[in-house]
Amino acid sequence: MTCKTLNIYYTNDLHSHFENWSKVSSFLKEKKKMHELQGTPYLLLDLGDHSDKVHPITEGTVGKGNVQLLNELQYDYATIGNNEGITFSKKELEELYTEATFEVIVSNLYHQDGTRPSFAIPYKIHELNGVKVGIIGITIPYEQFYSLLGWTIHSPYNYLQELVNDVRSQSDVVILMSHMGLGNDEQIAREMTGIDVIIGAHTHHVLKHGVIVEDTLITQSGKNGNYVGEVTICFDLENDHVLEKEAYAVSVRNRKEDDLTKESIKQLGLKAQALLDEVICRLEQPLEAEWFKPSVLPDELAAALREWCHADIGMINSGMLLDGLSEGNVSRENIHRICPHPVNPCKVILKGSELREIISYAMTDEIVNLSFKGLGFRGEVMGIMAFDGLEVKTVLMEDGLHHVTDILHNGQQLASDEEYAVATADMFTFGKFYPQMKHAKKKYYLPEMLRDLLEWRLENRY
């Protein structure tokens, strides 16, 4: 029996946590040195969401810094996550990989004329240690968001089996690079044949030894660069089949940092800083941002939302702003620092009765003091709601809580059956906090993020 061992290493969902990248680099450089001494090849993959505009390096270099770091470690292939796909403008994504020394594999992304983007291929046949490995890439199909950016994204369920069959006919082993999330990966494994390994991402699961679903190995290695994933496949050349396949999620949190990578990140930080130093306005007095009482800057953001979205009302939680702005020059870096979230504006059509329920709940201590991470929100607490176009009156009751007594729009009580256009954060429309918004008529605004609207407001007002 002639068994060929295939070694594959991967990262997923770094989300620009560069403070961990030098540890990831240390681990991968050690593995590279080992394979060079042994004379054995390996594959190095990234599963997407490497870039996240929450970090000033990604914001300032428009993701090019992330690509540079992948280049330096000599990655072979990458697919895109939703952070690359829908937080970059179409032009930014088209230009993101122009200097990449690796190939981008994503099979379900198209221009709206039906052609594929120049930076992406649907699959690749890669010979590894004498074995033909077919690699397919797919990403989560947030159709509405991609469409607003000028892309067409297809559901992999509609075509993937046919593509797998095609790749299988050319390959000994088939690997699916999937930024679809664990639930979708498990469903694909159950419903489709011919996939040996699904290397996953998006849902940030730490599968320390992978899971087997219908003879398909599924693996994923957490988030933020705390783990690196390994896959080992033993392929029987004589009988033309996979004998063994194993997966590991290896913690790198206690590893020594790689000095060259640290220096690269430092230099990228300086480069990004120079781009973010652009002054957008000058303040004659500070603009304060408080989380638990009304303040000027959240009100400005609510006003920016209302005006930008051409809505009746602007509504945003004060915790969206991590800090206020001091008097003097305000730069793009200042705005990014206080509003780093990859959150987009959205206009929602709500009846007065629904809006009253939402506001009443939004002003409770349960929501105001809620510490929450997710849906793009990277703050500490939700904070009270700031409004533009609404006057919300509250009273302090004996229970020590503020209760909403009146909600006025243009000096009039909200009409229960009347519809209002409310501009707010897209994260509120997914149903986690306010189910009334989930099924309401809505319009998303991409690629603008909340900080872009705040910057626009301050530039024009101050």
Side-chain angles (χ1 to χ4, degrees):
M1 182 182 69
T2 305
C3 179
K4 289 287 189 176
T5 301
L6 311 180
N7 295 107
I8 301 157
Y9 303 95
Y10 71 91
T11 49
N12 63 272
D13 299 287
L14 179 73
H15 287 285
S16 293
H17 276 260
F18 299 121
E19 72 277 9
N20 296 327
W21 188 248
S22 58
K23 296 178 182 180
V24 171
S25 176
S26 171
F27 175 86
L28 291 174
K29 285 184 176 182
E30 183 180 284
K31 290 294 183 181
K32 179 184 178 183
K33 186 175 181 180
M34 179 192 77
H35 284 286
E36 286 175 344
L37 289 171
Q38 295 174 346
T40 54
Y42 64 95
L43 278 175
L44 182 53
L45 316 175
D46 185 77
L47 275 294
D49 277 5
H50 191 281
S51 301
D52 193 321
K53 286 187 173 182
V54 71
H55 198 287
I57 286 178
T58 304
E59 175 81 353
T61 66
V62 201
K64 297 277 190 176
N66 294 73
V67 171
Q68 178 183 317
L69 293 173
L70 291 170
N71 285 345
E72 288 175 359
L73 289 178
Q74 298 179 309
Y75 271 68
D76 295 295
Y77 304 104
T79 194
I80 67 168
N82 45 289
N83 270 266
E84 289 89 4
I86 60 175
T87 69
F88 289 83
S89 70
K90 189 169 191 289
K91 184 173 185 290
E92 288 170 345
L93 181 54
E94 288 175 321
E95 295 177 354
L96 177 58
Y97 299 104
T98 53
E99 297 169 18
T101 56
F102 53 89
E103 291 187 274
V104 179
I105 306 177
V106 54
S107 62
N108 55 330
L109 182 67
Y110 293 83
H111 295 295
Q112 291 188 335
D113 65 3
T115 60
R116 292 187 184 276
S118 60
F119 65 83
I121 55 176
Y123 69 90
K124 180 77 174 186
I125 310 299
H126 183 108
E127 187 164 317
L128 182 66
N129 202 18
V131 179
K132 291 180 179 178
V133 180
I135 307 168
I136 302 168
I138 55 175
T139 195
I140 189 81
Y142 290 139
E143 295 178 19
Q144 185 174 8
F145 295 107
Y146 276 100
S147 176
L148 287 169
L149 288 166
W151 295 107
T152 295
I153 189 91
H154 291 168
S155 168
Y157 292 102
N158 297 333
Y159 71 87
L160 185 57
Q161 183 64 73
E162 184 178 350
L163 180 58
V164 169
N165 294 343
D166 183 22
V167 172
R168 181 97 243 172
S169 69
Q170 306 173 57
S171 313
D172 301 310
V173 173
V174 175
I175 293 174
L176 180 65
M177 296 176 65
S178 168
H179 197 95
M180 292 281 289
L182 181 57
N184 282 308
D185 292 342
E186 290 174 333
Q187 184 175 347
I188 288 169
R190 285 192 299 268
E191 296 180 359
M192 301 188 190
T193 59
I195 303 170
D196 294 295
V197 180
I198 299 175
I199 302 179
H202 184 57
T203 46
H204 306 164
H205 285 84
V206 179
L207 303 178
K208 290 197 173 181
H209 302 286
V211 294
I212 296 288
V213 176
E214 299 290 340
D215 201 38
T216 296
L217 174 64
I218 301 173
T219 183
Q220 194 178 146
S221 60
K223 64 177 180 177
N224 301 346
N226 291 312
Y227 294 83
V228 174
E230 290 188 46
V231 176
T232 304
I233 300 171
C234 181
F235 186 78
D236 182 353
L237 279 177
E238 292 179 4
N239 297 302
D240 194 30
H241 74 276
V242 172
L243 283 175
E244 295 178 356
K245 47 192 174 184
E246 298 176 339
Y248 312 93
V250 183
S251 174
V252 296
R253 283 177 285 198
N254 295 322
R255 287 193 68 87
K256 185 177 182 296
E257 295 181 278
D258 179 70
D259 290 335
L260 287 176
T261 301
K262 282 179 68 177
E263 181 61 25
S264 288
I265 293 169
K266 178 182 175 182
Q267 294 303 317
L268 284 171
L270 294 173
K271 180 180 178 181
Q273 186 64 50
L275 295 167
L276 292 172
D277 276 343
E278 178 188 350
V279 174
I280 62 166
C281 71
R282 180 173 177 80
L283 298 178
E284 299 302 322
Q285 58 187 22
L287 296 181
E288 295 179 346
E290 301 282 353
W291 295 340
F292 305 115
K293 64 181 181 180
S295 54
V296 176
L297 202 55
D299 289 346
E300 290 284 9
L301 182 53
L305 275 161
R306 183 168 77 96
E307 188 176 355
W308 181 274
C309 298
H310 303 287
D312 302 313
I313 297 158
M315 183 176 86
I316 193 68
N317 59 305
S318 297
M320 196 66 73
L321 296 172
L322 307 186
D323 201 355
L325 293 169
S326 303
E327 63 183 275
N329 290 339
V330 176
S331 67
R332 289 182 60 215
E333 190 277 332
N334 296 141
I335 299 296
H336 181 271
R337 177 180 57 81
I338 67 169
C339 192
H341 329 273
V343 173
N344 305 103
C346 181
K347 181 164 63 178
V348 190
I349 307 302
L350 295 167
K351 287 186 176 181
S353 56
E354 295 172 321
L355 185 53
R356 183 179 290 276
E357 289 176 4
I358 290 168
I359 292 171
S360 295
Y361 185 45
M363 302 300 280
T364 63
D365 280 8
E366 178 185 352
I367 290 294
V368 171
N369 295 308
L370 179 65
S371 179
F372 170 75
K373 300 285 185 185
L375 303 177
F377 183 65
R378 308 293 165 81
E380 297 297 323
V381 294
M382 295 296 287
I384 66 167
M385 278 289 181
F387 301 97
D388 189 70
L390 272 189
E391 183 183 358
V392 179
K393 297 181 179 180
T394 63
V395 63
L396 183 63
M397 302 292 282
E398 290 182 359
D399 59 8
L401 303 177
H402 286 88
H403 294 260
V404 175
T405 56
D406 288 302
I407 304 173
L408 306 178
H409 174 61
N410 294 333
Q412 302 293 318
Q413 290 281 349
L414 283 182
S416 294
D417 293 329
E418 188 174 331
E419 290 186 334
Y420 299 87
V422 181
T424 190
D426 66 353
M427 70 180 217
F428 291 138
T429 68
F430 305 133
K432 181 176 179 66
F433 302 102
Y434 311 116
Q436 301 91 337
M437 291 192 189
K438 185 172 184 179
H439 301 294
K441 182 180 177 183
K442 57 184 78 76
K443 178 181 179 180
Y444 295 100
Y445 294 80
L446 279 78
E448 297 84 12
M449 296 183 188
L450 294 185
R451 61 175 169 272
D452 297 317
L453 273 62
L454 182 61
E455 182 178 315
W456 167 76
R457 171 81 175 179
L458 296 179
E459 188 175 16
N460 286 289
R461 188 169 168 81
Y462 295 95

